[in-house]
Amino acid sequence: MNLFRGGATASRELLRQPEHLQDDTPPLTLTQVGLGQSRGYLTVREMPDGAASKRWCVVKENRLWVFDAPDTTKTGASIPLENAEVVEGGGGRTDQVSLSTFHLRTHRGRGRHYVLQAKSSGEVNMWISSLRSHTAKETENQIMARADEMVTQQEQIAAARMAQQARKVRAALSAPPPPPKPVGS
């Protein structure tokens, strides 16, 4: 199964996916896609048996657009990034190739699996950061704001419990002492 269907002269499009994973985004040219957030060459291989090929890639609007070259006039294929997983590393190896390799799995691992390779480990970090920013449903700031709100709520609950306990202690301390028991009765 290759990333692109057909030969060099055939229309290049992603292979059909199961119906629940299909994507209705029309193929666009590089001019239509524009510059995007990140762009550059990546070696792209669709697993399990796709051939690796060097492609010009552009990250834009929650998609990884894949083209033959930066000057192509042909339409490119796109990989949806929403709900995708981006995983660092090349499968446990520690050589230079694995340091510049990462994995992209669409639909939280239930879709397609791609192995991508950049020129260097530094470029890998740029690509991973860019791709992950398009896979998250919430931005980092939104997650931090939600975490702060949760901490504030927990602090308020803890403060209310402490105040209730303090009222009980004050009530016990300010209550009049019981009358003395008569001696010798």
Short mmCIF file of all heavy atoms in Angstrom, two decimals, residues 75-142:
data_model
loop_
_atom_site.label_atom_id
_atom_site.label_comp_id
_atom_site.label_asym_id
_atom_site.label_seq_id
_atom_site.Cartn_x
_atom_site.Cartn_y
_atom_site.Cartn_z
N THR A 75 -1.63 18.70 -8.02
CA THR A 75 -2.29 18.72 -6.72
C THR A 75 -1.56 17.77 -5.77
O THR A 75 -0.93 16.80 -6.20
CB THR A 75 -3.77 18.30 -6.83
OG1 THR A 75 -3.84 17.00 -7.38
CG2 THR A 75 -4.56 19.28 -7.67
N GLY A 76 -1.67 18.07 -4.50
CA GLY A 76 -1.03 17.26 -3.49
C GLY A 76 -2.05 16.47 -2.70
O GLY A 76 -3.25 16.74 -2.75
N ALA A 77 -1.56 15.51 -1.97
CA ALA A 77 -2.39 14.74 -1.06
C ALA A 77 -2.33 15.41 0.31
O ALA A 77 -1.39 16.13 0.62
CB ALA A 77 -1.88 13.31 -0.97
N SER A 78 -3.34 15.16 1.13
CA SER A 78 -3.29 15.72 2.47
C SER A 78 -3.60 14.64 3.49
O SER A 78 -4.35 13.71 3.23
CB SER A 78 -4.27 16.89 2.62
OG SER A 78 -5.60 16.42 2.59
N ILE A 79 -2.98 14.79 4.64
CA ILE A 79 -3.18 13.87 5.75
C ILE A 79 -3.83 14.68 6.87
O ILE A 79 -3.27 15.69 7.32
CB ILE A 79 -1.83 13.29 6.23
CG1 ILE A 79 -1.14 12.55 5.09
CG2 ILE A 79 -2.03 12.39 7.43
CD1 ILE A 79 0.29 12.15 5.37
N PRO A 80 -5.01 14.28 7.34
CA PRO A 80 -5.67 15.02 8.42
C PRO A 80 -4.91 14.87 9.73
O PRO A 80 -4.48 13.78 10.07
CB PRO A 80 -7.06 14.38 8.50
CG PRO A 80 -6.90 13.02 7.93
CD PRO A 80 -5.78 13.11 6.92
N LEU A 81 -4.74 15.97 10.44
CA LEU A 81 -3.99 15.95 11.69
C LEU A 81 -4.89 15.96 12.93
O LEU A 81 -4.42 15.65 14.02
CB LEU A 81 -3.03 17.14 11.74
CG LEU A 81 -1.94 17.13 10.67
CD1 LEU A 81 -1.11 18.38 10.75
CD2 LEU A 81 -1.08 15.88 10.78
N GLU A 82 -6.15 16.33 12.76
CA GLU A 82 -7.04 16.35 13.92
C GLU A 82 -7.15 14.93 14.47
O GLU A 82 -7.38 13.98 13.73
CB GLU A 82 -8.41 16.88 13.52
CG GLU A 82 -9.29 17.14 14.72
CD GLU A 82 -10.56 17.86 14.31
OE1 GLU A 82 -10.45 18.98 13.80
OE2 GLU A 82 -11.63 17.28 14.51
N ASN A 83 -6.96 14.78 15.75
CA ASN A 83 -6.98 13.49 16.44
C ASN A 83 -5.85 12.56 16.03
O ASN A 83 -5.93 11.35 16.21
CB ASN A 83 -8.32 12.78 16.25
CG ASN A 83 -9.45 13.49 16.94
OD1 ASN A 83 -9.28 13.97 18.05
ND2 ASN A 83 -10.57 13.61 16.27
N ALA A 84 -4.79 13.08 15.46
CA ALA A 84 -3.64 12.25 15.08
C ALA A 84 -2.66 12.17 16.25
O ALA A 84 -2.68 13.01 17.15
CB ALA A 84 -2.95 12.84 13.86
N GLU A 85 -1.82 11.16 16.22
CA GLU A 85 -0.76 11.00 17.21
C GLU A 85 0.57 11.19 16.51
O GLU A 85 0.80 10.63 15.43
CB GLU A 85 -0.79 9.60 17.82
CG GLU A 85 -2.01 9.32 18.65
CD GLU A 85 -2.05 7.88 19.14
OE1 GLU A 85 -1.63 6.98 18.42
OE2 GLU A 85 -2.55 7.69 20.26
N VAL A 86 1.44 11.97 17.12
CA VAL A 86 2.79 12.18 16.59
C VAL A 86 3.74 11.58 17.63
O VAL A 86 3.74 11.99 18.78
CB VAL A 86 3.09 13.67 16.38
CG1 VAL A 86 4.49 13.86 15.82
CG2 VAL A 86 2.06 14.29 15.45
N VAL A 87 4.53 10.59 17.20
CA VAL A 87 5.39 9.86 18.11
C VAL A 87 6.83 10.00 17.66
O VAL A 87 7.14 9.76 16.50
CB VAL A 87 5.00 8.36 18.14
CG1 VAL A 87 5.88 7.58 19.11
CG2 VAL A 87 3.53 8.19 18.50
N GLU A 88 7.69 10.38 18.60
CA GLU A 88 9.11 10.56 18.29
C GLU A 88 9.79 9.21 18.15
O GLU A 88 9.37 8.24 18.74
CB GLU A 88 9.79 11.32 19.43
CG GLU A 88 9.23 12.71 19.64
CD GLU A 88 9.85 13.39 20.83
OE1 GLU A 88 11.09 13.36 20.95
OE2 GLU A 88 9.10 13.95 21.63
N GLY A 89 10.87 9.20 17.40
CA GLY A 89 11.76 8.04 17.37
C GLY A 89 11.58 7.12 16.20
O GLY A 89 10.55 7.11 15.54
N GLY A 90 12.61 6.31 16.00
CA GLY A 90 12.64 5.40 14.87
C GLY A 90 12.58 3.95 15.27
O GLY A 90 13.24 3.11 14.68
N GLY A 91 11.83 3.61 16.28
CA GLY A 91 11.63 2.21 16.59
C GLY A 91 12.70 1.60 17.47
O GLY A 91 13.05 0.44 17.31
N GLY A 92 13.26 2.36 18.40
CA GLY A 92 14.19 1.80 19.37
C GLY A 92 15.65 1.88 18.96
O GLY A 92 16.53 1.61 19.76
N ARG A 93 15.94 2.21 17.72
CA ARG A 93 17.33 2.33 17.30
C ARG A 93 17.88 3.67 17.79
O ARG A 93 17.13 4.59 18.06
CB ARG A 93 17.44 2.25 15.78
CG ARG A 93 16.95 0.93 15.25
CD ARG A 93 17.10 0.80 13.76
NE ARG A 93 17.31 2.05 13.06
CZ ARG A 93 16.91 2.27 11.83
NH1 ARG A 93 16.25 1.38 11.17
NH2 ARG A 93 17.17 3.43 11.24
N THR A 94 19.19 3.75 17.87
CA THR A 94 19.81 5.00 18.35
C THR A 94 20.76 5.60 17.32
O THR A 94 21.54 6.47 17.65
CB THR A 94 20.58 4.76 19.66
OG1 THR A 94 21.56 3.74 19.42
CG2 THR A 94 19.65 4.36 20.78
N ASP A 95 20.69 5.14 16.08
CA ASP A 95 21.57 5.71 15.07
C ASP A 95 21.02 7.04 14.58
O ASP A 95 19.94 7.48 14.97
CB ASP A 95 21.77 4.75 13.90
CG ASP A 95 20.46 4.35 13.23
OD1 ASP A 95 19.41 4.89 13.61
OD2 ASP A 95 20.49 3.49 12.34
N GLN A 96 21.76 7.72 13.71
CA GLN A 96 21.36 9.05 13.22
C GLN A 96 20.03 9.01 12.50
O GLN A 96 19.24 9.92 12.59
CB GLN A 96 22.46 9.63 12.32
CG GLN A 96 22.21 11.06 11.90
CD GLN A 96 22.06 12.02 13.07
OE1 GLN A 96 22.74 11.89 14.08
NE2 GLN A 96 21.17 12.98 12.96
N VAL A 97 19.76 7.92 11.75
CA VAL A 97 18.50 7.81 11.02
C VAL A 97 17.32 7.83 11.98
O VAL A 97 16.34 8.54 11.77
CB VAL A 97 18.48 6.51 10.15
CG1 VAL A 97 17.11 6.28 9.57
CG2 VAL A 97 19.53 6.61 9.05
N SER A 98 17.41 7.07 13.07
CA SER A 98 16.29 7.02 13.99
C SER A 98 16.09 8.34 14.73
O SER A 98 14.97 8.66 15.12
CB SER A 98 16.45 5.87 14.99
OG SER A 98 17.53 6.13 15.86
N LEU A 99 17.15 9.11 14.92
CA LEU A 99 17.02 10.40 15.60
C LEU A 99 16.31 11.43 14.73
O LEU A 99 15.81 12.42 15.23
CB LEU A 99 18.40 10.93 16.01
CG LEU A 99 19.13 10.09 17.06
CD1 LEU A 99 20.53 10.67 17.30
CD2 LEU A 99 18.35 10.01 18.35
N SER A 100 16.27 11.19 13.43
CA SER A 100 15.59 12.12 12.54
C SER A 100 14.26 11.56 12.04
O SER A 100 13.70 12.05 11.08
CB SER A 100 16.51 12.49 11.36
OG SER A 100 16.81 11.34 10.61
N THR A 101 13.78 10.51 12.68
CA THR A 101 12.55 9.83 12.27
C THR A 101 11.46 10.01 13.31
O THR A 101 11.73 10.06 14.50
CB THR A 101 12.84 8.32 12.08
OG1 THR A 101 13.87 8.17 11.11
CG2 THR A 101 11.62 7.57 11.60
N PHE A 102 10.21 10.10 12.84
CA PHE A 102 9.07 10.13 13.74
C PHE A 102 7.87 9.49 13.04
O PHE A 102 7.91 9.21 11.85
CB PHE A 102 8.75 11.55 14.22
CG PHE A 102 8.46 12.54 13.12
CD1 PHE A 102 7.16 12.91 12.84
CD2 PHE A 102 9.48 13.12 12.39
CE1 PHE A 102 6.88 13.82 11.84
CE2 PHE A 102 9.21 14.04 11.39
CZ PHE A 102 7.91 14.39 11.12
N HIS A 103 6.83 9.21 13.82
CA HIS A 103 5.65 8.51 13.30
C HIS A 103 4.43 9.41 13.42
O HIS A 103 4.30 10.18 14.37
CB HIS A 103 5.39 7.23 14.12
CG HIS A 103 6.52 6.26 14.04
ND1 HIS A 103 6.50 5.16 13.23
CD2 HIS A 103 7.73 6.23 14.66
CE1 HIS A 103 7.63 4.49 13.37
NE2 HIS A 103 8.39 5.13 14.22
N LEU A 104 3.53 9.26 12.46
CA LEU A 104 2.25 9.97 12.46
C LEU A 104 1.17 8.92 12.27
O LEU A 104 1.19 8.17 11.30
CB LEU A 104 2.21 11.00 11.33
CG LEU A 104 0.90 11.74 11.10
CD1 LEU A 104 0.55 12.60 12.31
CD2 LEU A 104 0.98 12.59 9.85
N ARG A 105 0.27 8.84 13.25
CA ARG A 105 -0.85 7.90 13.18
C ARG A 105 -2.14 8.70 13.21
O ARG A 105 -2.39 9.44 14.15
CB ARG A 105 -0.80 6.92 14.35
CG ARG A 105 0.39 5.99 14.28
CD ARG A 105 0.41 5.02 15.46
NE ARG A 105 1.51 4.10 15.35
CZ ARG A 105 2.69 4.26 15.95
NH1 ARG A 105 2.91 5.31 16.71
NH2 ARG A 105 3.64 3.37 15.80
N THR A 106 -2.95 8.53 12.17
CA THR A 106 -4.20 9.29 12.09
C THR A 106 -5.29 8.62 12.92
O THR A 106 -5.21 7.44 13.23
CB THR A 106 -4.67 9.44 10.63
OG1 THR A 106 -4.93 8.14 10.10
CG2 THR A 106 -3.62 10.14 9.78
N HIS A 107 -6.28 9.40 13.27
CA HIS A 107 -7.47 8.94 14.01
C HIS A 107 -7.08 8.18 15.28
O HIS A 107 -7.59 7.10 15.55
CB HIS A 107 -8.37 8.09 13.11
CG HIS A 107 -8.86 8.85 11.92
ND1 HIS A 107 -9.88 9.75 11.99
CD2 HIS A 107 -8.43 8.86 10.63
CE1 HIS A 107 -10.07 10.28 10.79
NE2 HIS A 107 -9.21 9.77 9.96
N ARG A 108 -6.16 8.76 16.06
CA ARG A 108 -5.71 8.20 17.34
C ARG A 108 -5.33 6.73 17.22
O ARG A 108 -5.70 5.90 18.02
CB ARG A 108 -6.78 8.37 18.42
CG ARG A 108 -6.98 9.80 18.83
CD ARG A 108 -5.82 10.25 19.71
NE ARG A 108 -6.00 11.63 20.07
CZ ARG A 108 -5.03 12.52 20.04
NH1 ARG A 108 -3.83 12.17 19.69
NH2 ARG A 108 -5.24 13.75 20.39
N GLY A 109 -4.59 6.43 16.16
CA GLY A 109 -4.06 5.08 15.98
C GLY A 109 -4.98 4.14 15.23
O GLY A 109 -4.60 3.02 14.92
N ARG A 110 -6.21 4.55 14.92
CA ARG A 110 -7.14 3.66 14.22
C ARG A 110 -7.14 3.91 12.72
O ARG A 110 -7.85 3.25 11.99
CB ARG A 110 -8.56 3.85 14.78
CG ARG A 110 -8.70 3.43 16.22
CD ARG A 110 -10.15 3.52 16.68
NE ARG A 110 -10.83 4.73 16.32
CZ ARG A 110 -10.81 5.87 16.98
NH1 ARG A 110 -10.10 5.97 18.06
NH2 ARG A 110 -11.48 6.91 16.57
N GLY A 111 -6.36 4.86 12.27
CA GLY A 111 -6.31 5.19 10.85
C GLY A 111 -5.02 4.72 10.24
O GLY A 111 -4.58 3.60 10.47
N ARG A 112 -4.41 5.58 9.50
CA ARG A 112 -3.17 5.26 8.80
C ARG A 112 -1.95 5.54 9.66
O ARG A 112 -1.99 6.36 10.56
CB ARG A 112 -3.09 6.07 7.53
CG ARG A 112 -4.16 5.64 6.57
CD ARG A 112 -3.95 6.29 5.27
NE ARG A 112 -4.79 5.63 4.28
CZ ARG A 112 -4.99 6.10 3.10
NH1 ARG A 112 -4.42 7.20 2.73
NH2 ARG A 112 -5.77 5.46 2.26
N HIS A 113 -0.85 4.88 9.30
CA HIS A 113 0.41 5.03 10.02
C HIS A 113 1.47 5.43 9.01
O HIS A 113 1.67 4.74 8.01
CB HIS A 113 0.76 3.70 10.70
CG HIS A 113 2.09 3.71 11.37
ND1 HIS A 113 2.72 2.57 11.77
CD2 HIS A 113 2.94 4.71 11.72
CE1 HIS A 113 3.88 2.85 12.32
NE2 HIS A 113 4.03 4.16 12.31
N TYR A 114 2.14 6.54 9.27
CA TYR A 114 3.20 7.04 8.40
C TYR A 114 4.49 7.13 9.19
O TYR A 114 4.48 7.50 10.37
CB TYR A 114 2.86 8.44 7.87
CG TYR A 114 1.58 8.49 7.10
CD1 TYR A 114 0.38 8.81 7.74
CD2 TYR A 114 1.55 8.22 5.74
CE1 TYR A 114 -0.81 8.86 7.04
CE2 TYR A 114 0.35 8.27 5.03
CZ TYR A 114 -0.81 8.58 5.68
OH TYR A 114 -1.98 8.62 4.99
N VAL A 115 5.59 6.81 8.54
CA VAL A 115 6.91 7.03 9.11
C VAL A 115 7.51 8.18 8.32
O VAL A 115 7.56 8.15 7.09
CB VAL A 115 7.81 5.78 9.00
CG1 VAL A 115 9.20 6.08 9.53
CG2 VAL A 115 7.18 4.62 9.77
N LEU A 116 7.93 9.22 9.03
CA LEU A 116 8.45 10.44 8.40
C LEU A 116 9.90 10.64 8.86
O LEU A 116 10.23 10.39 10.02
CB LEU A 116 7.60 11.63 8.79
CG LEU A 116 6.10 11.47 8.47
CD1 LEU A 116 5.28 12.43 9.28
CD2 LEU A 116 5.86 11.65 7.00
N GLN A 117 10.72 11.11 7.95
CA GLN A 117 12.12 11.34 8.29
C GLN A 117 12.54 12.72 7.80
O GLN A 117 12.32 13.07 6.64
CB GLN A 117 13.01 10.27 7.68
CG GLN A 117 14.45 10.41 8.09
CD GLN A 117 15.32 9.31 7.51
OE1 GLN A 117 14.83 8.37 6.90
NE2 GLN A 117 16.62 9.44 7.69
N ALA A 118 13.14 13.50 8.70
CA ALA A 118 13.65 14.82 8.37
C ALA A 118 15.16 14.73 8.13
O ALA A 118 15.76 13.67 8.29
CB ALA A 118 13.36 15.79 9.51
N LYS A 119 15.76 15.86 7.75
CA LYS A 119 17.20 15.88 7.48
C LYS A 119 18.02 15.73 8.76
O LYS A 119 19.12 15.20 8.73
CB LYS A 119 17.61 17.17 6.77
CG LYS A 119 17.19 17.22 5.32
CD LYS A 119 17.82 18.39 4.59
CE LYS A 119 17.18 19.68 5.00
NZ LYS A 119 17.61 20.84 4.23
N SER A 120 17.49 16.24 9.88
CA SER A 120 18.28 16.24 11.11
C SER A 120 17.35 16.12 12.31
O SER A 120 16.14 16.31 12.21
CB SER A 120 19.07 17.55 11.23
OG SER A 120 18.17 18.63 11.41
N SER A 121 17.94 15.84 13.47
CA SER A 121 17.13 15.75 14.69
C SER A 121 16.55 17.12 15.05
O SER A 121 15.46 17.20 15.62
CB SER A 121 17.96 15.20 15.84
OG SER A 121 19.09 16.01 16.08
N GLY A 122 17.25 18.20 14.70
CA GLY A 122 16.71 19.54 14.95
C GLY A 122 15.46 19.80 14.12
O GLY A 122 14.49 20.37 14.63
N GLU A 123 15.48 19.38 12.87
CA GLU A 123 14.29 19.54 12.03
C GLU A 123 13.15 18.68 12.54
O GLU A 123 11.99 19.06 12.45
CB GLU A 123 14.60 19.19 10.57
CG GLU A 123 15.18 20.33 9.80
CD GLU A 123 15.12 20.10 8.30
OE1 GLU A 123 14.33 19.27 7.83
OE2 GLU A 123 15.88 20.79 7.60
N VAL A 124 13.48 17.50 13.06
CA VAL A 124 12.44 16.62 13.62
C VAL A 124 11.69 17.35 14.73
O VAL A 124 10.47 17.32 14.78
CB VAL A 124 13.04 15.30 14.15
CG1 VAL A 124 12.06 14.57 15.05
CG2 VAL A 124 13.42 14.41 13.00
N ASN A 125 12.43 18.02 15.60
CA ASN A 125 11.79 18.75 16.70
C ASN A 125 10.85 19.82 16.17
O ASN A 125 9.75 20.01 16.70
CB ASN A 125 12.84 19.36 17.63
CG ASN A 125 13.62 18.31 18.37
OD1 ASN A 125 13.12 17.21 18.62
ND2 ASN A 125 14.85 18.63 18.72
N MET A 126 11.26 20.53 15.12
CA MET A 126 10.40 21.56 14.52
C MET A 126 9.14 20.93 13.95
O MET A 126 8.03 21.41 14.18
CB MET A 126 11.17 22.30 13.42
CG MET A 126 10.40 23.41 12.72
SD MET A 126 9.36 22.94 11.30
CE MET A 126 10.51 22.23 10.17
N TRP A 127 9.28 19.82 13.21
CA TRP A 127 8.13 19.17 12.59
C TRP A 127 7.19 18.61 13.66
O TRP A 127 5.97 18.78 13.58
CB TRP A 127 8.57 18.04 11.65
CG TRP A 127 9.02 18.54 10.32
CD1 TRP A 127 10.30 18.62 9.86
CD2 TRP A 127 8.19 19.04 9.26
NE1 TRP A 127 10.32 19.14 8.59
CE2 TRP A 127 9.04 19.40 8.19
CE3 TRP A 127 6.82 19.22 9.11
CZ2 TRP A 127 8.56 19.92 7.00
CZ3 TRP A 127 6.35 19.74 7.91
CH2 TRP A 127 7.20 20.08 6.88
N ILE A 128 7.75 17.95 14.67
CA ILE A 128 6.91 17.36 15.72
C ILE A 128 6.12 18.44 16.44
O ILE A 128 4.92 18.32 16.67
CB ILE A 128 7.75 16.52 16.70
CG1 ILE A 128 8.21 15.24 16.01
CG2 ILE A 128 6.98 16.22 17.98
CD1 ILE A 128 9.18 14.40 16.81
N SER A 129 6.78 19.54 16.79
CA SER A 129 6.10 20.65 17.46
C SER A 129 4.99 21.21 16.59
O SER A 129 3.87 21.45 17.06
CB SER A 129 7.12 21.73 17.80
OG SER A 129 6.49 22.85 18.33
N SER A 130 5.28 21.41 15.32
CA SER A 130 4.29 21.96 14.40
C SER A 130 3.10 21.01 14.24
O SER A 130 1.94 21.43 14.32
CB SER A 130 4.94 22.23 13.05
OG SER A 130 3.99 22.70 12.13
N LEU A 131 3.39 19.74 14.01
CA LEU A 131 2.31 18.76 13.83
C LEU A 131 1.47 18.62 15.09
O LEU A 131 0.24 18.59 15.03
CB LEU A 131 2.88 17.41 13.42
CG LEU A 131 3.50 17.36 12.01
CD1 LEU A 131 4.29 16.07 11.82
CD2 LEU A 131 2.43 17.51 10.94
N ARG A 132 2.12 18.57 16.24
CA ARG A 132 1.36 18.42 17.50
C ARG A 132 0.48 19.63 17.77
O ARG A 132 -0.59 19.49 18.35
CB ARG A 132 2.31 18.18 18.67
CG ARG A 132 2.83 16.76 18.70
CD ARG A 132 3.71 16.50 19.88
NE ARG A 132 4.11 15.10 19.91
CZ ARG A 132 5.11 14.63 20.62
NH1 ARG A 132 5.84 15.46 21.37
NH2 ARG A 132 5.41 13.35 20.59
N SER A 133 0.91 20.80 17.35
CA SER A 133 0.07 21.98 17.57
C SER A 133 -1.22 21.91 16.75
O SER A 133 -2.20 22.56 17.07
CB SER A 133 0.83 23.27 17.26
OG SER A 133 1.01 23.42 15.87
N HIS A 134 -1.22 21.09 15.70
CA HIS A 134 -2.41 20.92 14.87
C HIS A 134 -3.21 19.68 15.23
O HIS A 134 -4.30 19.49 14.70
CB HIS A 134 -2.02 20.87 13.39
CG HIS A 134 -1.58 22.20 12.86
ND1 HIS A 134 -2.44 23.08 12.27
CD2 HIS A 134 -0.37 22.80 12.88
CE1 HIS A 134 -1.78 24.18 11.93
NE2 HIS A 134 -0.52 24.03 12.29
N THR A 135 -2.69 18.83 16.11
CA THR A 135 -3.41 17.62 16.49
C THR A 135 -4.24 17.81 17.73
O THR A 135 -5.19 17.09 17.97
CB THR A 135 -2.45 16.43 16.73
OG1 THR A 135 -1.60 16.75 17.83
CG2 THR A 135 -1.64 16.10 15.51
N ALA A 136 -3.88 18.78 18.55
CA ALA A 136 -4.56 18.98 19.84
C ALA A 136 -5.91 19.66 19.64
O ALA A 136 -6.06 20.54 18.80
CB ALA A 136 -3.69 19.83 20.75
N LYS A 137 -6.87 19.22 20.43
CA LYS A 137 -8.17 19.87 20.41
C LYS A 137 -8.09 21.18 21.19
O LYS A 137 -8.85 22.09 20.96
CB LYS A 137 -9.22 18.95 21.05
CG LYS A 137 -9.44 17.71 20.27
CD LYS A 137 -10.83 17.69 19.79
CE LYS A 137 -11.08 16.42 19.04
NZ LYS A 137 -11.82 16.58 17.87
N GLU A 138 -7.18 21.23 22.16
CA GLU A 138 -7.00 22.43 22.97
C GLU A 138 -5.56 22.91 22.82
O GLU A 138 -4.65 22.10 22.69
CB GLU A 138 -7.23 22.12 24.46
CG GLU A 138 -8.63 21.73 24.82
CD GLU A 138 -8.73 21.41 26.29
OE1 GLU A 138 -8.08 20.46 26.74
OE2 GLU A 138 -9.46 22.14 26.99
N THR A 139 -5.39 24.21 22.88
CA THR A 139 -4.03 24.74 22.84
C THR A 139 -3.41 24.58 24.22
O THR A 139 -4.10 24.32 25.21
CB THR A 139 -4.03 26.23 22.46
OG1 THR A 139 -4.66 26.97 23.51
CG2 THR A 139 -4.72 26.47 21.13
N GLU A 140 -2.11 24.75 24.29
CA GLU A 140 -1.40 24.65 25.57
C GLU A 140 -1.95 25.68 26.56
O GLU A 140 -2.14 25.37 27.74
CB GLU A 140 0.09 24.86 25.34
CG GLU A 140 0.94 24.58 26.55
CD GLU A 140 2.42 24.68 26.25
OE1 GLU A 140 2.83 24.41 25.10
OE2 GLU A 140 3.16 25.03 27.18
N ASN A 141 -2.23 26.88 26.10
CA ASN A 141 -2.77 27.92 26.99
C ASN A 141 -4.16 27.53 27.51
O ASN A 141 -4.49 27.79 28.66
CB ASN A 141 -2.84 29.26 26.26
CG ASN A 141 -1.47 29.87 26.07
OD1 ASN A 141 -0.51 29.49 26.73
ND2 ASN A 141 -1.38 30.80 25.15
N GLN A 142 -4.98 26.91 26.64
CA GLN A 142 -6.31 26.48 27.08
C GLN A 142 -6.19 25.38 28.14
O GLN A 142 -6.93 25.37 29.11
CB GLN A 142 -7.14 25.98 25.90
CG GLN A 142 -7.56 27.08 24.95
CD GLN A 142 -8.15 26.53 23.67
OE1 GLN A 142 -7.70 25.50 23.15
NE2 GLN A 142 -9.16 27.21 23.15
#
